Amino acid sequence: MKTYTVCMAGGEYTFDVDASGRWSMEGTPVESPVQETGPGVYAVNLGGRTCRVVARSADEAYLFLLEGVQRVATVETERTRLIKRYARPEGTVHHRLEIHAPMPALVGRLLVAAGDEVQAGQPLLVLEAMKMENEIKAHRDARVKEIVVVPGHTVEKGQLLIVLE
Amino acid sequence: MKKRSIRKILVANRGEIALRVMRTCRELGIGTVAVHSEADANMPHVQYADESVCIGPAPSQKSYLVTEAILHAARTTGADAIHPGYGFLSENAAFAQCAQDAGFIFIGPGPAAIRSMGDKTRARKLVAAAGVPVIPGTEGAVEKEADAAAFCQKHGFPILIKAAAGGGGKGMRVVRSIEEFSAAFTGARSEATTAFGDGRVYLETYLEEPRHIEFQIVADRKGNTIHLGERECTIQRRHQKVVEESPSVVLDEPLRRLMGETAVRAAKACRYENAGTIEFLVDANRKFYFLEMNTRLQVEHPVTELRTGIDLVALQIRIAEGELLPWTQDQIQQSGHAIECRICAEDPANNFLPSTGRILHLRPAGGVGVRDDRGIDAGGDISVYYDPMIAKLIVRGATREEALRRMNRALGEYEVLGVHTNIAFCRFVINHEQFRAGTFNTHFVAEHFRPDLLPPPAGEAVRAAAFLCAWLEHTRRQHPGNGIPSAETPGAVRKTWKDERLRFMRGDEP
């Protein structure tokens, strides 16, 4: 018997499968529940109506559509759950002094310089994406320690832009 | 000028509008030439065209905005006409002039009309002289902050700063107090410089709670000018239209006739030829003001096509050939109700941040009364270089109620995986009681939308999706490399070495 826990949309769902491939959901068996009907398109029947689910694996997670919204699920076995619990301390430190790009973009104007004192809500620089300008603002009062990017350069989502102190 | 029939059209655009223009060309037996950037070599509009020419690298400043590259493509392929679509060079008078000088038919208005309507301050003066109501504003572009401050002193806040050369919300700022003014003025000028290569801005009084209603105009070479009814485009986000519909719920027959006649007068004021749009703002007292004229085909033109049965691109081509309008105003028949939603790659749950990436799966909506205008398929990339629009979903119903039900159904069918989309947001809008009641203004999204108002998915669908993920994970562990389509290689077999590495990293059971 193997147990899989799926974490998605703020909830956890647990399913069991035995050695001969029979699935059950919260103790209730489900019969031949999944059929792939096209690339990445599945018919799923848990004993009620047949649901159409579109999904892809993506690194260590799954991408799928739920009522028009793309969501991400992670799937854990009992063993990976255990490893995770010991490997990652509770509440990882969040580097709130680093400003990251919220999307892939071109770096537009810099509105501050290293050494400047900035206030919460003050625009730091402008990112251009899809022809719109987006001001990236300071989320707290701080001093600008370092500006890592140069106007005209392309940045990826999550890339470090500015370090505050 | 003599009539001249068109045999081959180069479409100086990309994506859905390029494809939409070519479809009409094919129906009319006219050859098509696509132009594309290096990034767009495999896009549907390139595959659809009879011929295609690469005109430069991905950034549009180096490809879709390069006049000489486009004219060179037209010459080498023997095209005799150029359709500019919308955006890019469509409202660039110099481009229209160069195309004409090079001997091509430009499918759109003449350079003079583009110039006079393209400069928003000149346009306002021109139509005001023809008796069209305009919003109080500065006479011309404002260069100095002091001059701008003087206008604010005289007319009071709120005021709107707008780019003289632009549209589409770029270089636009609302200012509610003198303290906000300086930053907004600088920001608008800089954004206008980036977007249009022209940093001039002007000021006007900002109407509270306005509705945005536009009229489709068509005019021929002899100056015969008619309108094809209105489009209500009030639902906008950051000055970008999201939902458009026709007819507008706030216009009654006398007001519609008055606004239509006024729109025709505005178009005649610049001797307009071909298809164009007069945009009005309508205030809470149903007084209307000229906003601007768009001297091109609009994104939302299918709304008018579904109500009139007229193919606007076919009409544009016939007018460009020198044909006269086949109808008078009285002969225009409109029926039913049409709605368009712009499906864009952006994340409504995360402040509508643009979402880039590869589209892994796409299935459009179908069925009765549904039209899907789209220029990208599964496997295509949404990049930072271009507009984030994936598709225009347009429906027609006998009544507004039927059209809304149909749109809700169609949005429910639309599937896009790989990038975030605003599909759930569009459903939120069209199902909102204020939208249903017709009592909304241009601030609708800011006032009514919060991400937590998006309805949670139904329990059964959630369980099915959760189970599928468990099943996929189990299958992958039982049969490594067994071809679960992945995001990195859509539809292809997952690489075994990667699986092995992941298994090692995760400490899985062998």
Side-chain angles (χ1 to χ4, degrees):
Chain A
M1 177 87 89
K2 261 188 183 164
T3 300
Y4 291 94
T5 305
V6 181
C7 309
M8 54 174 258
E12 286 196 349
Y13 304 83
T14 301
F15 304 92
D16 300 307
V17 57
D18 68 15
S20 51
R22 277 190 293 265
W23 285 89
S24 57
M25 181 178 66
E26 287 143 24
T28 315
V30 277
E31 300 288 334
S32 55
V34 175
Q35 193 80 44
E36 185 168 7
T37 58
V41 181
Y42 303 86
V44 183
N45 190 321
L46 299 178
R49 75 183 178 94
T50 301
C51 293
R52 176 185 162 93
V53 187
V54 175
R56 293 290 155 103
S57 77
D59 281 331
E60 295 187 48
Y62 292 91
L63 277 183
F64 61 96
L65 276 184
L66 207 50
E67 299 183 355
V69 178
Q70 174 173 292
R71 293 170 195 267
V72 179
T74 54
V75 185
E76 295 175 343
T77 62
E78 280 165 329
R79 193 183 152 95
T80 55
R81 257 171 110 73
L82 213 60
I83 290 171
K84 247 190 176 166
R85 193 163 307 153
Y86 287 107
R88 193 206 300 144
E90 286 299 311
T92 329
V93 181
H94 189 56
H95 295 281
R96 291 186 55 83
L97 289 169
E98 295 183 347
I99 307 288
H100 298 269
M103 69 221 154
L106 299 170
V107 178
R109 284 164 293 131
L110 298 177
L111 305 174
V112 292
D116 285 2
E117 300 286 342
V118 295
Q119 292 177 338
Q122 183 178 335
L124 301 173
L125 65 108
V126 175
L127 291 184
E128 294 167 17
M130 292 153 174
K131 303 200 176 148
M132 293 297 284
E133 295 201 343
N134 301 274
E135 284 184 343
I136 304 300
K137 295 173 177 159
H139 45 52
R140 51 178 285 176
D141 295 352
R143 204 169 70 86
V144 178
K145 186 177 178 193
E146 189 188 357
I147 295 172
V148 185
V149 291
V150 181
H153 280 192
T154 311
V155 292
E156 295 300 319
K157 181 176 176 174
Q159 192 171 327
L160 182 63
L161 304 171
I162 288 180
V163 184
L164 303 176
E165 62 183 1
Chain B
M1 274 202 282
K2 284 211 336 265
K3 277 195 213 168
R4 195 176 135 189
S5 76
I6 293 171
R7 288 163 297 108
K8 191 190 275 190
I9 294 176
L10 179 142
V11 184
N13 216 297
R14 67 184 294 282
E16 71 87 16
I17 193 60
L19 192 57
R20 188 261 164 275
V21 171
M22 289 177 197
R23 280 175 158 158
T24 289
C25 293
R26 187 148 297 167
E27 289 179 15
L28 297 177
I30 296 171
T32 52
V33 180
V35 292
H36 64 88
S37 68
E38 285 162 10
D40 281 347
N42 299 318
M43 290 283 283
H45 79 275
V46 179
Q47 296 174 2
Y48 192 91
D50 299 327
E51 296 164 77
S52 64
V53 181
C54 180
I55 52 167
S60 37
Q61 290 87 345
K62 294 178 178 168
S63 48
Y64 297 105
L65 290 172
V66 181
T67 299
E68 199 32 61
I70 289 165
L71 295 184
H72 182 72
R75 270 191 293 269
T76 52
T77 53
D80 46 19
I82 295 176
H83 195 298
Y86 54 70
F88 295 131
L89 293 169
S90 62
E91 291 181 279
N92 184 314
F95 175 70
Q97 187 69 59
C98 287
Q100 280 188 2
D101 293 348
F104 300 108
I105 297 174
F106 179 80
I107 302 174
I114 299 177
R115 210 168 286 127
S116 47
M117 284 300 171
D119 184 326
K120 306 301 173 194
T121 50
R122 261 179 72 186
R124 212 168 43 183
K125 247 184 269 178
L126 191 68
V127 301
V132 175
V134 297
I135 301 166
T138 52
E139 274 285 302
V142 180
E143 297 291 337
K144 294 198 197 78
E145 220 178 299
D147 298 342
F151 174 84
C152 300
Q153 215 97 85
K154 185 172 167 206
H155 293 276
F157 290 95
I159 61 140
L160 189 63
I161 308 177
K162 294 173 81 176
K170 281 141 203 158
M172 197 184 279
R173 294 283 193 287
V174 180
V175 187
R176 295 190 176 275
S177 68
I178 193 75
E179 290 78 34
E180 290 172 22
F181 187 80
S182 187
F185 189 70
T186 316
R189 286 176 60 103
S190 137
E191 200 167 301
T193 308
T194 313
F196 314 110
D198 179 349
R200 290 175 308 134
V201 296
Y202 67 98
L203 314 181
E204 62 185 35
T205 297
Y206 181 67
L207 295 187
E208 302 278 5
E209 298 183 23
R211 293 175 79 114
H212 180 128
I213 297 175
E214 62 187 28
F215 275 74
Q216 177 69 52
I217 295 296
V218 282
D220 65 27
R221 184 165 298 174
K222 288 262 165 67
N224 300 308
T225 308
I226 60 172
H227 73 84
L228 302 179
E230 81 276 16
R231 291 183 293 257
E232 160 87 63
C233 308
T234 296
I235 302 294
Q236 308 187 354
R237 204 187 64 78
R238 289 178 74 180
H239 303 289
Q240 299 276 358
K241 296 165 189 169
V242 182
V243 178
E244 300 103 343
E245 64 177 321
S246 183
S248 163
V249 293
V250 292
L251 298 197
D252 53 19
E253 236 5 91
L255 183 56
R256 177 172 294 117
R257 195 172 313 121
L258 180 60
M259 287 177 74
E261 286 165 7
T262 308
V264 167
R265 211 173 327 131
K268 282 186 164 174
C270 69
R271 299 171 195 282
Y272 199 79
E273 181 187 324
N274 215 292
T277 296
I278 308 286
E279 299 192 337
F280 293 109
L281 284 182
V282 181
D283 72 12
N285 304 316
R286 301 206 311 158
K287 279 188 74 174
F288 64 91
Y289 304 90
F290 172 83
L291 184 63
E292 60 182 38
M293 179 169 198
N294 292 311
T295 55
R296 54 169 160 85
L297 195 65
Q298 297 277 96
V299 175
E300 59 274 23
H301 75 274
V303 168
T304 298
E305 294 185 325
L306 291 192
R307 285 201 72 224
T308 58
I310 293 170
D311 177 339
L312 280 168
V313 172
L315 186 57
Q316 281 193 297
I317 293 170
R318 293 311 179 213
I319 290 172
E321 286 178 324
E323 303 253 349
L324 300 183
L325 281 180
W327 318 283
T328 59
Q329 187 68 58
D330 301 340
Q331 289 170 314
I332 298 300
Q333 302 268 337
Q334 305 197 58
S335 66
H337 196 98
I339 309 175
E340 172 179 284
C341 286
R342 300 189 188 186
I343 296 179
C344 296
E346 58 190 21
D347 187 1
N350 196 3
N351 200 25
F352 293 90
L353 281 182
S355 181
T356 57
R358 179 154 297 171
I359 296 184
L360 303 169
H361 168 93
L362 193 151
R363 188 194 68 171
V368 65
V370 175
R371 170 170 164 179
D372 176 52
D373 275 24
R374 176 167 46 85
I376 190 162
D377 293 328
D381 289 316
I382 301 289
S383 76
V384 291
Y385 298 109
Y386 312 115
D387 188 278
M389 195 168 75
I390 297 170
K392 302 185 309 204
L393 178 61
I394 316 106
V395 303
R396 185 184 183 285
T399 61
R400 186 169 191 260
E401 182 52 36
E402 185 179 78
L404 286 171
R405 283 200 303 262
R406 185 158 289 154
M407 180 58 89
N408 186 45
R409 186 267 295 172
L411 286 167
E413 287 175 12
Y414 220 104
E415 296 175 349
V416 180
L417 191 73
V419 293
H420 291 284
T421 70
N422 64 346
I423 290 173
F425 168 71
C426 291
R427 279 186 106 170
F428 168 86
V429 173
I430 61 145
N431 289 319
H432 194 278
E433 58 181 46
Q434 298 287 325
F435 184 78
R436 293 249 161 183
T439 51
F440 52 85
N441 59 55
T442 51
H443 311 307
F444 175 88
V445 178
E447 281 172 7
H448 296 294
F449 179 70
R450 291 198 320 270
D452 57 292
L453 294 176
L454 292 173
E460 192 178 23
V462 177
R463 271 200 307 279
F467 179 75
L468 177 68
C469 293
W471 186 88
L472 288 172
E473 181 68 13
H474 181 66
T475 308
R476 191 183 67 77
R477 282 162 185 269
Q478 298 294 301
H479 316 281
N482 194 18
I484 296 166
S486 79
E488 306 94 77
T489 51
V493 171
R494 203 181 160 102
K495 284 196 183 77
T496 313
W497 68 265
K498 186 156 191 181
D499 269 14
E500 291 306 315
R501 189 168 58 100
L502 283 178
R503 286 160 73 93
F504 175 74
M505 283 164 50
R506 287 197 259 191
D508 293 3
E509 306 91 39

